[in-house]
Amino acid sequence: MGKTLLDLMHTRFPFHGVKVWENKIQNGHVGVNGKEVTSQYALRLQDEVFHHNPKVIEPSVPDEVRILKETEDYLIVYKPAPLPMHPGGRFNKNSLTKILEEKGFQDLRIVHRLDSVTSGLVLFARNKEFAQKAMLCFSESKVKKTYYAVVAGNPDEDSVTIDSPIRRKNGFVFESKLGLKHAKEAITHFEVVERDQNSAIVKCSPKTGRTHQIRLHLEQWGYPIIDDPIYRIDGDKSSKEAQKTAISLLNAGLEIEELGVKWELDLDRYEMLDMRLKTA
C-alpha cells in the first residue's frame, strides 16, 4: 500500500529496469484492476496488478509429472524441475497446476509450494475442508518434510541445526542471518548422509516453511547446494537473472499424521530424474 505501481514492479521484479517497466505501464501492458493507469498510481489495499506479455513463447519445461496418490480429499504429485507451481511471469500452460488440469484434475487447491527449481513431492487439496485443515497443519509446523541436497564441500559436523530468521532481500532473493529485523523465524535440521571429497549428500528436515529456507540455511552453514545459482559461493544475488535450471534439492518425504497423509519417494527409482543424488 502506498507504493507507486512503477516502484512495485522494478523492486519486486528487477530483471527489467525502471525504463522497461515504465514503458510497459505506458503501453498498457501493466495496469491495475483491469485498467490502464499511470506509472505513479499509488497502490491501495486489494488492488490487483496485471502484467500482459504479448507474443512471448513460454520456456520449455520437463514433463515427468506423476500422480503418486489420489483420494477424495487430496492428491500427491511428483513435480520435476524446473517447473513452476502455477501460472506467473513467463509461464502459463507450462506450470504444474495447468498440466494437472490437462490431466483432468480441476479446482485443485495449493496448500504448500516448491520452488520451480526444486523437484519432489507436492500435496494438493481437492476440497475446501481438507485445504483448510492441511494449511493449518503447515502453519503450525505439524508437517514432517524430508529433503535431500547435494552440497559443495564436506561438512565437519555429522549434523547441525540452523535457526536463523529469513526475510526478502530484493526481488526473488532472500537472506538469512541472526539479528535480522522484520524477519520470520526459520529452523532446519541437517544430517550428512554420504560424503565425497568435495561434496556431500545432506538430509534436510525443515521445521518451518519459509521461502528458500533450506537453500539459505545450507549457505549459512557454509555448504550451499552445489549448483544453486543464487546461494552458492559465486551465486548471483542481483535478482536480474531468472532461475532456469533444476538444482540438487529433492523433496522426498511428506507426512501429516493427524490427516493420515504420508508418502516417501523410492530414491532408487527417482534419484536421477531431476536431482543428481550422487556426487560427481
Side-chain angles (χ1 to χ4, degrees):
M1 285 178 56
K3 282 188 176 183
T4 66
L5 178 60
L6 178 61
D7 188 35
L8 167 73
M9 299 308 290
H10 84 81
T11 55
R12 181 65 182 83
F13 308 105
F15 45 82
H16 286 322
V18 175
K19 285 294 183 183
V20 173
W21 285 121
E22 198 165 28
N23 288 336
K24 282 178 172 284
I25 295 170
Q26 186 175 359
N27 293 333
H29 293 157
V30 177
V32 180
N33 300 327
K35 299 179 181 179
E36 294 185 18
V37 296
T38 69
S39 62
Q40 297 306 305
Y41 175 90
L43 293 165
R44 298 172 296 183
L45 187 65
Q46 296 184 347
D47 273 349
E48 190 171 275
V49 177
F50 70 84
H51 177 208
H52 176 54
N53 264 327
K55 299 180 181 178
V56 170
I57 298 175
E58 292 187 49
S60 61
V61 293
D63 60 359
E64 299 95 350
V65 173
R66 286 175 168 78
I67 310 301
L68 301 178
K69 186 172 182 178
E70 178 183 353
T71 74
E72 293 182 354
D73 291 324
Y74 64 86
L75 201 67
I76 298 179
V77 176
Y78 176 83
K79 183 188 86 68
L83 176 66
M85 289 284 299
H86 51 73
R90 301 170 296 155
F91 298 89
N92 183 34
K93 289 187 177 181
N94 290 352
S95 60
L96 182 58
T97 53
K98 286 293 186 181
I99 291 173
L100 290 172
E101 283 181 13
E102 291 178 359
K103 290 179 177 288
F105 297 99
Q106 306 293 326
D107 301 321
L108 294 175
R109 291 167 166 83
I110 296 175
V111 296
H112 74 116
R113 290 170 170 80
L114 292 185
D115 293 340
S116 64
V117 296
T118 302
S119 57
L121 302 177
V122 178
L123 174 69
F124 287 98
R126 303 189 72 180
N127 54 63
K128 183 178 180 180
E129 293 73 23
F130 185 86
Q132 291 174 337
K133 293 176 183 177
M135 292 176 72
L136 184 62
C137 287
F138 275 99
S139 67
E140 294 179 348
S141 299
K142 293 181 178 179
V143 182
K144 181 181 178 182
K145 295 165 285 186
T146 303
Y147 290 74
Y148 290 91
V150 178
V151 303
N154 200 321
D156 295 328
E157 306 98 327
D158 291 329
S159 64
V160 69
T161 297
I162 305 294
D163 61 354
S164 298
I166 291 172
R167 71 180 181 189
R168 187 184 299 277
K169 184 177 182 181
N170 63 282
F172 52 75
V173 174
F174 289 73
E175 61 182 342
S176 176
K177 60 183 178 181
L178 295 174
L180 281 182
K181 294 182 179 180
H182 310 298
K184 295 181 179 180
E185 178 191 26
I187 304 170
T188 315
H189 180 73
F190 298 111
E191 181 182 343
V192 178
V193 175
E194 183 180 317
R195 301 176 185 273
D196 197 8
Q197 185 174 358
N198 298 311
S199 60
I201 297 175
V202 175
K203 179 180 178 182
C204 317
S205 303
K207 308 305 179 186
T208 51
R210 309 305 180 195
T211 303
H212 294 186
Q213 176 175 320
I214 292 173
R215 299 165 67 181
L216 284 160
H217 281 177
L218 284 171
E219 177 198 33
Q220 185 168 3
W221 187 20
Y223 305 98
I225 294 173
I226 198 166
D227 48 8
D228 192 323
I230 299 177
Y231 304 111
R232 67 189 181 200
I233 295 174
D234 59 344
D236 178 12
K237 291 184 171 64
S238 68
S239 275
K240 294 181 179 180
E241 292 294 328
Q243 301 179 77
K244 300 176 181 178
T245 57
I247 64 173
S248 297
L249 179 62
L250 172 70
N251 182 12
L254 181 65
E255 180 179 0
I256 310 177
E257 185 176 358
E258 67 181 65
L259 298 182
V261 175
K262 183 176 183 180
W263 196 270
E264 293 183 7
L265 288 180
D266 177 0
L267 295 185
D268 289 337
R269 180 181 176 189
Y270 285 95
E271 63 183 359
M272 295 309 295
L273 279 175
D274 294 283
M275 177 188 171
R276 293 173 291 282
L277 261 182
K278 58 181 184 180
T279 50

